Amino acid sequence: MSVSKGLVDDVLFEFLHAELVSYVLNSSKDGKKGDVTSLEYIGFSSGYRIIERLTKEWPRFKDELETMKFICTDFWSSIYKKQIDNLRTNHQGVYVLHENSFRFLRKISSGRQYLEAAPKFVAFTCGLIRGALANLGLDCTVTAEIQQMPACKFHIQVQKN
Amino acid sequence: MAVCVAVIGKDNSPKYILCLNPNQELQFHYRVHTSLDVVEEKLKATGDRDVRELYIGQLYSTEEHKIFGYVTNTRIKFIVVVESSNTSLRDNEVRMMFRNLHSAYTDVVCNPFYIPGDPITSKNFDNTVRRIMSGN
């Protein structure tokens, strides 16, 4: 019972996200079609709030890398039910999260045909990561790179101040 | 049990403060404010294994009060002031208070109508804090 319930939850989240994307993009002002800023902002405020709950039972993070590891493992699996496949860093504030099968792109036919439709499906997640990190005290910019769906890379650049 | 509970934001501004006796509010503002330096000090201390715990223990004590602190991963500080005459208070009771406080705070933050960084005005949070202060 609990297994089937989990599956239903997963689908609902995907539907909600798809609907969110289409609602936000259709209701944005004319001439600014494909403006993903507000999607990113919705992600930001969701991430900012949810991280408060997720880190509640967690010991304090030692450093930046440990925070990133938390994002890749616990944070990611509580939202996307899987962990990030690969995390790379130059140890100078740049982190690249490799996701081999990103959940919001998995249902789109793979290959290059729909590549130009992809940005709107990753904007929310970019915001989500940025919000979570912002609340943990790391100001950063997050961008996504898609070469071949459903794989996706998230670039995180931590702002040093 | 507790005589004052305070929530302090990332930037050390008070987000919420509740005292058992409203006449003493100014005094408690002062006490909580002074304790923030100790919080910073404890957070800076490295190499200690306890430093990774969110509960940072007793900050300082005076003749009348004992002050305890807790800092979340998101740098929100919770300060609880207890009367020194209350000697029956055990350490895990204090931890429990903070844990309940943290749960209540996460509920506030996850409320979409609450803008993070604003003073907390939630009635639910208020009730929880009152319950924590009275000790149930």
Side-chain angles (χ1 to χ4, degrees), chain B residues 78-136:
Chain B
F78 300 133
I79 311 283
V80 166
V81 184
V82 181
E83 275 182 328
S84 286
S85 55
N86 184 353
T87 47
S88 62
L89 191 71
R90 282 194 310 258
D91 196 46
N92 60 341
E93 284 179 307
V94 180
R95 277 169 205 270
M96 205 58 211
M97 281 203 283
F98 279 119
R99 195 161 314 144
N100 292 337
L101 199 59
H102 196 174
S103 299
Y105 178 76
T106 37
D107 288 345
V108 171
V109 173
C110 290
N111 174 1
F113 294 107
Y114 172 74
I115 298 164
D118 278 5
I120 297 168
T121 51
S122 156
K123 278 187 191 156
N124 239 332
F125 185 75
D126 207 52
N127 291 337
T128 315
V129 172
R130 278 174 205 279
R131 246 195 334 271
I132 292 170
M133 280 171 96
S134 63
N136 340 287

Short mmCIF file of all heavy atoms in Angstrom, two decimals, chain B residues 78-136:
data_model
loop_
_atom_site.label_atom_id
_atom_site.label_comp_id
_atom_site.label_asym_id
_atom_site.label_seq_id
_atom_site.Cartn_x
_atom_site.Cartn_y
_atom_site.Cartn_z
N PHE B 78 17.63 30.54 18.69
CA PHE B 78 16.57 30.46 19.69
C PHE B 78 17.22 30.64 21.06
O PHE B 78 18.22 30.01 21.36
CB PHE B 78 15.88 29.09 19.66
CG PHE B 78 15.24 28.76 18.36
CD1 PHE B 78 15.44 27.52 17.77
CD2 PHE B 78 14.41 29.67 17.71
CE1 PHE B 78 14.84 27.20 16.55
CE2 PHE B 78 13.81 29.35 16.51
CZ PHE B 78 14.03 28.11 15.92
N ILE B 79 16.66 31.52 21.86
CA ILE B 79 17.19 31.77 23.20
C ILE B 79 16.08 31.50 24.21
O ILE B 79 14.95 31.99 24.03
CB ILE B 79 17.67 33.24 23.35
CG1 ILE B 79 18.56 33.67 22.19
CG2 ILE B 79 18.33 33.45 24.70
CD1 ILE B 79 19.96 33.17 22.22
N VAL B 80 16.39 30.73 25.22
CA VAL B 80 15.42 30.47 26.28
C VAL B 80 16.01 30.91 27.61
O VAL B 80 17.16 30.59 27.91
CB VAL B 80 15.05 28.97 26.31
CG1 VAL B 80 14.33 28.62 27.59
CG2 VAL B 80 14.20 28.60 25.12
N VAL B 81 15.24 31.68 28.37
CA VAL B 81 15.69 32.13 29.68
C VAL B 81 14.90 31.40 30.75
O VAL B 81 13.67 31.33 30.69
CB VAL B 81 15.49 33.66 29.84
CG1 VAL B 81 16.06 34.13 31.16
CG2 VAL B 81 16.13 34.40 28.68
N VAL B 82 15.63 30.80 31.69
CA VAL B 82 15.00 30.03 32.77
C VAL B 82 15.41 30.66 34.09
O VAL B 82 16.52 31.18 34.21
CB VAL B 82 15.48 28.56 32.70
CG1 VAL B 82 14.83 27.73 33.78
CG2 VAL B 82 15.20 27.97 31.34
N GLU B 83 14.54 30.60 35.06
CA GLU B 83 14.90 31.14 36.38
C GLU B 83 15.91 30.23 37.06
O GLU B 83 15.79 29.01 37.02
CB GLU B 83 13.66 31.28 37.24
CG GLU B 83 12.96 32.60 36.96
CD GLU B 83 11.75 32.82 37.82
OE1 GLU B 83 11.09 31.82 38.17
OE2 GLU B 83 11.47 33.99 38.13
N SER B 84 16.91 30.83 37.68
CA SER B 84 17.96 30.03 38.33
C SER B 84 17.40 29.23 39.51
O SER B 84 17.93 28.19 39.87
CB SER B 84 19.07 30.94 38.84
OG SER B 84 19.82 31.39 37.74
N SER B 85 16.32 29.73 40.09
CA SER B 85 15.75 29.02 41.22
C SER B 85 15.14 27.68 40.83
O SER B 85 14.90 26.82 41.66
CB SER B 85 14.69 29.90 41.88
OG SER B 85 13.74 30.26 40.90
N ASN B 86 14.94 27.51 39.53
CA ASN B 86 14.37 26.25 39.04
C ASN B 86 15.49 25.22 38.88
O ASN B 86 16.09 25.10 37.82
CB ASN B 86 13.67 26.53 37.70
CG ASN B 86 12.96 25.31 37.16
OD1 ASN B 86 13.09 24.22 37.70
ND2 ASN B 86 12.23 25.50 36.08
N THR B 87 15.79 24.50 39.93
CA THR B 87 16.93 23.59 39.90
C THR B 87 16.56 22.21 39.38
O THR B 87 17.42 21.39 39.09
CB THR B 87 17.54 23.43 41.30
OG1 THR B 87 16.49 23.21 42.22
CG2 THR B 87 18.34 24.67 41.68
N SER B 88 15.27 21.96 39.28
CA SER B 88 14.85 20.61 38.87
C SER B 88 14.95 20.41 37.35
O SER B 88 14.76 19.32 36.85
CB SER B 88 13.41 20.36 39.32
OG SER B 88 12.58 21.29 38.68
N LEU B 89 15.25 21.49 36.64
CA LEU B 89 15.27 21.42 35.18
C LEU B 89 16.46 20.59 34.69
O LEU B 89 17.60 20.87 35.02
CB LEU B 89 15.38 22.84 34.63
CG LEU B 89 15.15 22.97 33.13
CD1 LEU B 89 13.69 22.73 32.79
CD2 LEU B 89 15.58 24.34 32.67
N ARG B 90 16.15 19.56 33.91
CA ARG B 90 17.23 18.72 33.41
C ARG B 90 17.62 19.14 32.00
O ARG B 90 16.85 19.78 31.29
CB ARG B 90 16.80 17.26 33.43
CG ARG B 90 16.85 16.64 34.82
CD ARG B 90 16.75 15.14 34.68
NE ARG B 90 15.62 14.79 33.82
CZ ARG B 90 14.46 14.37 34.29
NH1 ARG B 90 14.27 14.22 35.56
NH2 ARG B 90 13.48 14.07 33.46
N ASP B 91 18.82 18.71 31.63
CA ASP B 91 19.36 19.10 30.33
C ASP B 91 18.47 18.64 29.17
O ASP B 91 18.23 19.39 28.23
CB ASP B 91 20.76 18.52 30.19
CG ASP B 91 21.53 19.18 29.06
OD1 ASP B 91 21.50 20.42 29.00
OD2 ASP B 91 22.14 18.45 28.27
N ASN B 92 17.98 17.40 29.27
CA ASN B 92 17.18 16.92 28.13
C ASN B 92 15.82 17.60 28.05
O ASN B 92 15.21 17.64 26.98
CB ASN B 92 17.06 15.40 28.13
CG ASN B 92 16.40 14.87 29.37
OD1 ASN B 92 16.34 15.56 30.38
ND2 ASN B 92 15.90 13.66 29.30
N GLU B 93 15.37 18.18 29.17
CA GLU B 93 14.14 18.96 29.10
C GLU B 93 14.36 20.24 28.29
O GLU B 93 13.50 20.66 27.53
CB GLU B 93 13.66 19.31 30.51
CG GLU B 93 13.00 18.14 31.21
CD GLU B 93 12.56 18.50 32.62
OE1 GLU B 93 13.40 19.01 33.39
OE2 GLU B 93 11.38 18.30 32.93
N VAL B 94 15.53 20.83 28.50
CA VAL B 94 15.86 22.04 27.74
C VAL B 94 15.97 21.70 26.26
O VAL B 94 15.44 22.40 25.40
CB VAL B 94 17.18 22.66 28.25
CG1 VAL B 94 17.53 23.91 27.47
CG2 VAL B 94 17.08 22.98 29.72
N ARG B 95 16.65 20.58 25.97
CA ARG B 95 16.76 20.15 24.57
C ARG B 95 15.38 19.95 23.94
O ARG B 95 15.14 20.32 22.80
CB ARG B 95 17.49 18.81 24.49
CG ARG B 95 18.98 18.93 24.52
CD ARG B 95 19.58 17.56 24.72
NE ARG B 95 20.89 17.69 25.31
CZ ARG B 95 22.01 17.81 24.61
NH1 ARG B 95 21.96 17.78 23.30
NH2 ARG B 95 23.17 17.94 25.20
N MET B 96 14.50 19.36 24.73
CA MET B 96 13.15 19.09 24.24
C MET B 96 12.43 20.40 23.91
O MET B 96 11.76 20.50 22.88
CB MET B 96 12.39 18.33 25.35
CG MET B 96 11.26 17.48 24.84
SD MET B 96 11.86 16.29 23.66
CE MET B 96 10.43 16.15 22.64
N MET B 97 12.61 21.40 24.79
CA MET B 97 11.99 22.69 24.54
C MET B 97 12.45 23.26 23.20
O MET B 97 11.66 23.73 22.40
CB MET B 97 12.39 23.69 25.64
CG MET B 97 11.63 23.53 26.90
SD MET B 97 11.63 25.02 27.88
CE MET B 97 13.13 25.13 28.64
N PHE B 98 13.78 23.16 22.98
CA PHE B 98 14.32 23.71 21.75
C PHE B 98 13.83 22.93 20.54
O PHE B 98 13.56 23.50 19.48
CB PHE B 98 15.85 23.70 21.79
CG PHE B 98 16.42 24.85 22.56
CD1 PHE B 98 17.19 24.64 23.68
CD2 PHE B 98 16.18 26.14 22.15
CE1 PHE B 98 17.71 25.71 24.39
CE2 PHE B 98 16.71 27.21 22.84
CZ PHE B 98 17.47 27.00 23.97
N ARG B 99 13.73 21.61 20.70
CA ARG B 99 13.28 20.81 19.56
C ARG B 99 11.85 21.18 19.18
O ARG B 99 11.54 21.36 18.01
CB ARG B 99 13.38 19.32 19.89
CG ARG B 99 13.28 18.48 18.65
CD ARG B 99 13.81 17.07 18.84
NE ARG B 99 15.08 17.03 19.52
CZ ARG B 99 15.40 16.05 20.39
NH1 ARG B 99 14.54 15.10 20.66
NH2 ARG B 99 16.58 16.04 20.96
N ASN B 100 11.01 21.35 20.20
CA ASN B 100 9.63 21.76 19.91
C ASN B 100 9.58 23.14 19.28
O ASN B 100 8.80 23.39 18.36
CB ASN B 100 8.81 21.76 21.19
CG ASN B 100 8.61 20.37 21.73
OD1 ASN B 100 8.70 19.40 20.97
ND2 ASN B 100 8.35 20.25 23.01
N LEU B 101 10.43 24.01 19.79
CA LEU B 101 10.49 25.37 19.27
C LEU B 101 10.90 25.36 17.79
O LEU B 101 10.32 26.05 16.96
CB LEU B 101 11.49 26.16 20.10
CG LEU B 101 11.44 27.67 20.08
CD1 LEU B 101 10.10 28.14 20.57
CD2 LEU B 101 12.54 28.23 20.96
N HIS B 102 11.89 24.52 17.49
CA HIS B 102 12.38 24.44 16.12
C HIS B 102 11.27 23.90 15.19
O HIS B 102 11.07 24.43 14.09
CB HIS B 102 13.62 23.54 16.07
CG HIS B 102 14.41 23.68 14.81
ND1 HIS B 102 15.60 23.07 14.61
CD2 HIS B 102 14.17 24.37 13.66
CE1 HIS B 102 16.06 23.36 13.42
NE2 HIS B 102 15.21 24.16 12.82
N SER B 103 10.56 22.89 15.64
CA SER B 103 9.46 22.36 14.83
C SER B 103 8.43 23.44 14.55
O SER B 103 7.96 23.60 13.42
CB SER B 103 8.76 21.20 15.54
OG SER B 103 9.65 20.18 15.77
N ALA B 104 8.09 24.18 15.60
CA ALA B 104 7.10 25.24 15.43
C ALA B 104 7.61 26.30 14.47
O ALA B 104 6.87 26.81 13.63
CB ALA B 104 6.78 25.87 16.78
N TYR B 105 8.90 26.59 14.57
CA TYR B 105 9.48 27.61 13.68
C TYR B 105 9.46 27.16 12.23
O TYR B 105 9.13 27.95 11.34
CB TYR B 105 10.90 27.96 14.13
CG TYR B 105 11.55 28.96 13.21
CD1 TYR B 105 11.19 30.30 13.26
CD2 TYR B 105 12.47 28.57 12.25
CE1 TYR B 105 11.74 31.23 12.40
CE2 TYR B 105 13.02 29.49 11.37
CZ TYR B 105 12.66 30.81 11.45
OH TYR B 105 13.18 31.71 10.58
N THR B 106 9.79 25.87 11.99
CA THR B 106 9.76 25.39 10.59
C THR B 106 8.35 25.49 10.03
O THR B 106 8.18 25.81 8.86
CB THR B 106 10.23 23.94 10.46
OG1 THR B 106 9.78 23.22 11.57
CG2 THR B 106 11.70 23.82 10.34
N ASP B 107 7.36 25.22 10.88
CA ASP B 107 5.98 25.36 10.40
C ASP B 107 5.69 26.79 9.99
O ASP B 107 5.02 27.03 8.98
CB ASP B 107 5.00 24.92 11.49
CG ASP B 107 5.02 23.41 11.68
OD1 ASP B 107 5.56 22.73 10.79
OD2 ASP B 107 4.51 22.93 12.70
N VAL B 108 6.20 27.74 10.75
CA VAL B 108 5.99 29.15 10.41
C VAL B 108 6.64 29.46 9.06
O VAL B 108 6.03 30.08 8.19
CB VAL B 108 6.58 30.07 11.50
CG1 VAL B 108 6.56 31.52 11.05
CG2 VAL B 108 5.82 29.92 12.79
N VAL B 109 7.88 29.01 8.89
CA VAL B 109 8.62 29.34 7.66
C VAL B 109 7.94 28.70 6.45
O VAL B 109 7.90 29.29 5.38
CB VAL B 109 10.08 28.89 7.78
CG1 VAL B 109 10.81 29.07 6.46
CG2 VAL B 109 10.78 29.70 8.83
N CYS B 110 7.42 27.50 6.62
CA CYS B 110 6.81 26.81 5.49
C CYS B 110 5.42 27.36 5.16
O CYS B 110 4.82 26.95 4.17
CB CYS B 110 6.74 25.31 5.74
SG CYS B 110 8.38 24.58 5.69
N ASN B 111 4.92 28.27 5.98
CA ASN B 111 3.66 28.91 5.66
C ASN B 111 3.88 29.91 4.52
O ASN B 111 4.67 30.84 4.67
CB ASN B 111 3.15 29.63 6.92
CG ASN B 111 1.90 30.44 6.66
OD1 ASN B 111 1.39 30.46 5.54
ND2 ASN B 111 1.44 31.12 7.67
N PRO B 112 3.21 29.72 3.39
CA PRO B 112 3.47 30.61 2.25
C PRO B 112 3.12 32.07 2.50
O PRO B 112 3.58 32.95 1.79
CB PRO B 112 2.59 30.03 1.14
CG PRO B 112 1.64 29.13 1.80
CD PRO B 112 2.25 28.67 3.07
N PHE B 113 2.32 32.35 3.52
CA PHE B 113 1.97 33.75 3.80
C PHE B 113 3.00 34.44 4.67
O PHE B 113 2.93 35.64 4.88
CB PHE B 113 0.59 33.84 4.46
CG PHE B 113 -0.50 33.38 3.55
CD1 PHE B 113 -1.13 32.17 3.74
CD2 PHE B 113 -0.87 34.15 2.46
CE1 PHE B 113 -2.12 31.74 2.89
CE2 PHE B 113 -1.85 33.73 1.59
CZ PHE B 113 -2.49 32.52 1.80
N TYR B 114 3.93 33.67 5.20
CA TYR B 114 4.98 34.27 6.01
C TYR B 114 6.16 34.61 5.11
O TYR B 114 6.63 33.75 4.36
CB TYR B 114 5.41 33.31 7.12
CG TYR B 114 6.63 33.79 7.88
CD1 TYR B 114 6.53 34.83 8.79
CD2 TYR B 114 7.87 33.20 7.67
CE1 TYR B 114 7.65 35.28 9.46
CE2 TYR B 114 8.99 33.65 8.34
CZ TYR B 114 8.88 34.68 9.24
OH TYR B 114 9.99 35.14 9.91
N ILE B 115 6.63 35.82 5.17
CA ILE B 115 7.80 36.20 4.38
C ILE B 115 9.03 36.04 5.25
O ILE B 115 9.11 36.68 6.31
CB ILE B 115 7.67 37.65 3.87
CG1 ILE B 115 6.45 37.75 2.97
CG2 ILE B 115 8.93 38.08 3.13
CD1 ILE B 115 5.99 39.15 2.71
N PRO B 116 9.96 35.18 4.87
CA PRO B 116 11.13 34.94 5.70
C PRO B 116 11.84 36.25 6.04
O PRO B 116 12.04 37.09 5.18
CB PRO B 116 12.01 34.05 4.83
CG PRO B 116 11.07 33.34 3.94
CD PRO B 116 9.98 34.32 3.66
N GLY B 117 12.20 36.41 7.31
CA GLY B 117 12.87 37.63 7.74
C GLY B 117 11.93 38.60 8.45
O GLY B 117 12.38 39.50 9.13
N ASP B 118 10.64 38.40 8.30
CA ASP B 118 9.67 39.27 8.98
C ASP B 118 9.51 38.83 10.44
O ASP B 118 9.76 37.67 10.75
CB ASP B 118 8.30 39.18 8.29
CG ASP B 118 8.22 40.06 7.07
OD1 ASP B 118 9.26 40.65 6.73
OD2 ASP B 118 7.13 40.14 6.48
N PRO B 119 9.07 39.73 11.32
CA PRO B 119 8.73 39.29 12.67
C PRO B 119 7.61 38.25 12.63
O PRO B 119 6.75 38.30 11.75
CB PRO B 119 8.25 40.58 13.35
CG PRO B 119 8.88 41.67 12.57
CD PRO B 119 8.97 41.17 11.16
N ILE B 120 7.64 37.33 13.56
CA ILE B 120 6.66 36.24 13.55
C ILE B 120 5.39 36.69 14.26
O ILE B 120 5.43 37.14 15.41
CB ILE B 120 7.25 35.00 14.25
CG1 ILE B 120 8.47 34.51 13.47
CG2 ILE B 120 6.22 33.90 14.35
CD1 ILE B 120 9.29 33.50 14.19
N THR B 121 4.27 36.56 13.57
CA THR B 121 3.01 36.98 14.16
C THR B 121 2.02 35.82 14.26
O THR B 121 0.87 36.03 14.63
CB THR B 121 2.37 38.11 13.34
OG1 THR B 121 2.35 37.69 11.97
CG2 THR B 121 3.16 39.40 13.44
N SER B 122 2.49 34.61 13.91
CA SER B 122 1.58 33.47 13.87
C SER B 122 0.99 33.13 15.24
O SER B 122 1.71 33.06 16.24
CB SER B 122 2.35 32.26 13.32
OG SER B 122 1.76 31.08 13.75
N LYS B 123 -0.33 32.94 15.27
CA LYS B 123 -0.99 32.60 16.54
C LYS B 123 -0.62 31.19 16.97
O LYS B 123 -0.47 30.91 18.15
CB LYS B 123 -2.51 32.67 16.36
CG LYS B 123 -3.02 34.07 16.47
CD LYS B 123 -4.53 34.08 16.45
CE LYS B 123 -5.02 35.51 16.29
NZ LYS B 123 -6.36 35.56 15.71
N ASN B 124 -0.48 30.31 15.97
CA ASN B 124 -0.12 28.93 16.25
C ASN B 124 1.23 28.86 16.95
O ASN B 124 1.40 28.13 17.93
CB ASN B 124 -0.02 28.18 14.93
CG ASN B 124 -0.97 27.01 14.90
OD1 ASN B 124 -1.29 26.47 15.94
ND2 ASN B 124 -1.41 26.66 13.71
N PHE B 125 2.15 29.64 16.42
CA PHE B 125 3.49 29.67 16.99
C PHE B 125 3.43 30.21 18.42
O PHE B 125 4.03 29.67 19.34
CB PHE B 125 4.39 30.55 16.12
CG PHE B 125 5.82 30.57 16.56
CD1 PHE B 125 6.64 29.49 16.31
CD2 PHE B 125 6.36 31.66 17.22
CE1 PHE B 125 7.96 29.49 16.71
CE2 PHE B 125 7.68 31.68 17.63
CZ PHE B 125 8.47 30.58 17.37
N ASP B 126 2.65 31.26 18.57
CA ASP B 126 2.47 31.87 19.88
C ASP B 126 1.96 30.85 20.90
O ASP B 126 2.49 30.74 22.00
CB ASP B 126 1.46 33.02 19.72
CG ASP B 126 1.67 34.09 20.76
OD1 ASP B 126 2.81 34.54 20.88
OD2 ASP B 126 0.70 34.43 21.44
N ASN B 127 0.95 30.09 20.49
CA ASN B 127 0.39 29.08 21.40
C ASN B 127 1.41 28.02 21.76
O ASN B 127 1.50 27.60 22.91
CB ASN B 127 -0.83 28.42 20.76
CG ASN B 127 -1.99 29.38 20.67
OD1 ASN B 127 -2.04 30.34 21.43
ND2 ASN B 127 -2.90 29.14 19.74
N THR B 128 2.18 27.57 20.74
CA THR B 128 3.19 26.56 21.01
C THR B 128 4.22 27.09 22.00
O THR B 128 4.59 26.39 22.94
CB THR B 128 3.91 26.16 19.71
OG1 THR B 128 2.93 25.97 18.70
CG2 THR B 128 4.70 24.89 19.89
N VAL B 129 4.64 28.33 21.81
CA VAL B 129 5.64 28.90 22.71
C VAL B 129 5.08 28.99 24.12
O VAL B 129 5.76 28.65 25.10
CB VAL B 129 6.10 30.29 22.21
CG1 VAL B 129 6.98 30.96 23.24
CG2 VAL B 129 6.85 30.14 20.91
N ARG B 130 3.83 29.40 24.24
CA ARG B 130 3.23 29.48 25.58
C ARG B 130 3.19 28.11 26.24
O ARG B 130 3.41 27.97 27.44
CB ARG B 130 1.81 30.05 25.49
CG ARG B 130 1.84 31.55 25.41
CD ARG B 130 0.46 32.14 25.18
NE ARG B 130 0.59 33.43 24.54
CZ ARG B 130 0.87 34.56 25.18
NH1 ARG B 130 1.04 34.55 26.49
NH2 ARG B 130 0.99 35.69 24.53
N ARG B 131 2.90 27.08 25.41
CA ARG B 131 2.88 25.71 25.95
C ARG B 131 4.28 25.30 26.41
O ARG B 131 4.43 24.69 27.46
CB ARG B 131 2.37 24.74 24.87
CG ARG B 131 1.06 24.12 25.25
CD ARG B 131 0.66 22.92 24.44
NE ARG B 131 1.17 22.80 23.11
CZ ARG B 131 0.59 23.30 22.02
NH1 ARG B 131 -0.53 23.97 22.13
NH2 ARG B 131 1.12 23.11 20.85
N ILE B 132 5.27 25.64 25.61
CA ILE B 132 6.64 25.28 25.97
C ILE B 132 7.03 25.99 27.27
O ILE B 132 7.63 25.39 28.16
CB ILE B 132 7.62 25.69 24.84
CG1 ILE B 132 7.38 24.83 23.60
CG2 ILE B 132 9.06 25.57 25.28
CD1 ILE B 132 8.12 25.31 22.37
N MET B 133 6.63 27.25 27.40
CA MET B 133 6.99 28.01 28.59
C MET B 133 6.35 27.45 29.84
O MET B 133 6.96 27.43 30.91
CB MET B 133 6.58 29.47 28.41
CG MET B 133 7.56 30.25 27.58
SD MET B 133 6.91 31.84 27.19
CE MET B 133 7.63 32.83 28.44
N SER B 134 5.13 26.99 29.70
CA SER B 134 4.46 26.47 30.90
C SER B 134 4.91 25.04 31.19
O SER B 134 4.61 24.50 32.25
CB SER B 134 2.95 26.54 30.71
OG SER B 134 2.58 25.71 29.65
N GLY B 135 5.62 24.45 30.26
CA GLY B 135 6.24 23.16 30.56
C GLY B 135 5.45 21.92 30.19
O GLY B 135 5.70 20.84 30.70
N ASN B 136 4.47 22.04 29.30
CA ASN B 136 3.88 20.79 28.79
C ASN B 136 4.11 20.69 27.29
O ASN B 136 3.74 21.48 26.55
CB ASN B 136 2.38 20.68 28.98
CG ASN B 136 1.84 21.60 30.04
OD1 ASN B 136 2.04 21.35 31.19
ND2 ASN B 136 1.16 22.66 29.67
#
